[in-house]
Amino acid sequence: MLDGGFDLLELFRIGVDIALVWYVLYKIIMLIRGTKAIQLLKGIVVVLLVWGISILFELHTIQYLTNQVINWGFVVIIILFQPELRRALEQIGRGNLFARGARSEEEILEQKIEAIVQSCQYMAKRRIGALISIERETGMGDYAETGIPINGKLTHQLLTNIFTPNTPLHDGAVIIKDEDIFAAACYLPLSESPFISKELGTRHRAAMGISEVTDAITIVVSEETGGISATKNGELKRDLDQEGLRSYLHENLSSSMRASESKSRHQRRKDNG
C-alpha cells in the first residue's frame, strides 16, 4: 500500500480516468473549433471564472446571479445550439467523432490536389500559361513578398481566374501555402543550368530555378503547347496528363505531410525529454 491508502491499481484507474476525460474534451474542442460554439465555450469559461471569484471574495449578489446562469444555462444551450448538438450526436453515432482529426488532414490534402489539377486541366485545354509553386518545408516568404498578397482559400476557380490573360495578377507565379493561395504575381529565380532545353521558356526556367533553391513543388502550364510540367529538387517532369499530375502531387505532397508530422513528433519528444 502507498501513502494515503491508494494502491498502484487505484492510481492507475485514476490516471486512466483523467486521461480519458482530457481526451474527450480535446476531441470536443477540435470538433467545435471554427464554429460559433467555440464562442459559447469561451463564455462558459468566463462565467465559471466570475463564479469562482464571487465565492473567493464572498460577493453574494454576483454569486447568486452566476448560480442562476449555471442552473439554467444548460437548458438555454440545448435550445440555442440544437443543430450543432444534433450534428455532434450524428457523428458519434457514425463513429466519426474520434476519427475526424486524422481524416481531416487527408481531406484537406485531397481538396488541395483536386483544386490544382482541375485548374491546370482547364488552363491547359485553353492554352493559358500558369506558374504555380507549392510551399513544403522550406519557407517561401521572400519570394511571396515580390508579388501581391492573396491569403485566400485555394479553389480551382480562384486559381484559374488569377492566370486569366489580361488580368492584373496573371503575369508571375502563384505561391500556395498549406490550403491557401499565399501570393500571386511573384517573381521566382531563373535557373542558370545549361542543360535546360532551349525550347523551354521563362516559366520553365523559373520553375527549375525555384526547385534548385527550395523543396517546393512547382507546376507549369505552357501557353504555347498546353503541356503540363512539374519540378522538384532540380528535376523536371514533362507532359503530365490529368491522372499523372494527380499522382505526382499525391506522391510528393503526401510524403511531405508525413515528414512534417514525423518532425513535429520528434520535436515534441525533444521538448518533453
Side-chain angles (χ1 to χ4, degrees):
M1 300 292 289
L2 299 175
D3 290 342
F6 291 103
D7 56 19
L8 288 174
L9 181 59
E10 189 65 24
L11 286 175
F12 176 75
R13 288 174 178 170
I14 293 173
V16 171
D17 190 24
I18 294 173
L20 287 173
V21 170
W22 277 109
Y23 181 73
V24 171
L25 287 175
Y26 168 76
K27 285 297 182 179
I28 291 173
I29 291 172
M30 294 299 292
L31 180 67
I32 66 176
R33 184 180 61 176
T35 69
K36 61 182 181 180
I38 198 67
Q39 302 300 323
L40 170 69
L41 185 61
K42 292 178 181 178
I44 292 173
V45 171
V46 171
V47 170
L48 291 176
L49 285 175
V50 172
W51 178 67
I53 292 172
S54 68
I55 293 175
L56 182 63
F57 293 100
E58 298 183 353
L59 305 174
H60 300 295
T61 303
I62 294 178
Q63 185 179 346
Y64 171 78
L65 292 174
T66 51
N67 280 334
Q68 296 304 308
V69 171
I70 293 170
N71 290 336
W72 292 99
F74 183 71
V75 177
V76 173
I77 289 171
I78 292 176
I79 295 171
L80 293 179
F81 290 90
Q82 180 195 2
E84 286 79 5
L85 291 171
R86 185 175 65 248
R87 282 196 296 269
L89 291 173
E90 288 173 353
Q91 290 194 7
I92 292 173
R94 292 194 300 265
N96 292 338
L97 177 61
F98 299 105
R100 175 175 177 155
R103 193 178 65 251
S104 63
E105 291 293 333
E106 294 296 333
E107 288 177 349
I108 290 171
L109 178 61
E110 190 66 33
Q111 291 171 1
K112 177 178 181 177
I113 290 173
E114 283 305 310
I116 295 170
V117 170
Q118 289 183 38
S119 178
C120 288
Q121 281 298 115
Y122 180 92
M123 292 186 288
K125 289 180 180 179
R126 292 160 179 78
R127 304 288 178 89
I128 298 174
L131 182 59
I132 305 164
S133 197
I134 306 168
E135 181 184 282
R136 295 203 289 174
E137 294 297 315
T138 307
M140 299 184 67
D142 291 343
Y143 304 106
E145 289 177 357
T146 66
I148 305 299
I150 302 295
N151 295 317
K153 183 174 177 58
L154 172 62
T155 64
H156 73 89
Q157 294 93 340
L158 177 57
L159 190 57
T160 302
N161 191 69
I162 288 173
F163 288 109
T164 300
N166 302 319
T167 57
L169 300 177
H170 85 281
D171 193 19
V174 158
I175 294 177
I176 295 174
K177 181 176 181 180
D178 299 325
E179 61 267 29
D180 294 331
I181 296 178
F182 189 25
C186 302
Y187 292 97
L188 303 183
L190 300 181
S191 174
E192 300 294 336
S193 173
F195 303 106
I196 299 178
S197 173
K198 300 297 183 182
E199 67 184 34
L200 298 178
T202 303
R203 286 193 181 91
H204 288 84
R205 285 194 169 272
M208 285 294 291
I210 195 66
S211 75
E212 292 167 356
V213 295
T214 73
D215 64 349
I217 301 294
T218 304
I219 303 165
V220 181
V221 179
S222 171
E223 63 182 337
E224 285 82 15
T225 66
I228 300 175
S229 305
T231 65
K232 68 168 184 175
N233 300 328
E235 299 177 352
L236 174 66
K237 192 173 183 66
R238 301 180 62 184
D239 300 322
L240 292 167
D241 59 12
Q242 183 174 355
E243 286 304 316
L245 177 59
R246 184 179 287 109
S247 299
Y248 184 89
L249 292 175
H250 267 295
E251 177 185 351
N252 291 285
L253 295 181
S254 295
S255 62
S256 175
M257 186 175 70
R258 288 193 298 269
S260 178
E261 290 174 351
S262 176
K263 183 178 178 181
S264 298
R265 287 195 297 268
H266 176 74
Q267 185 63 41
R268 285 196 296 269
R269 286 196 298 267
K270 184 176 178 182
D271 293 340
N272 293 333

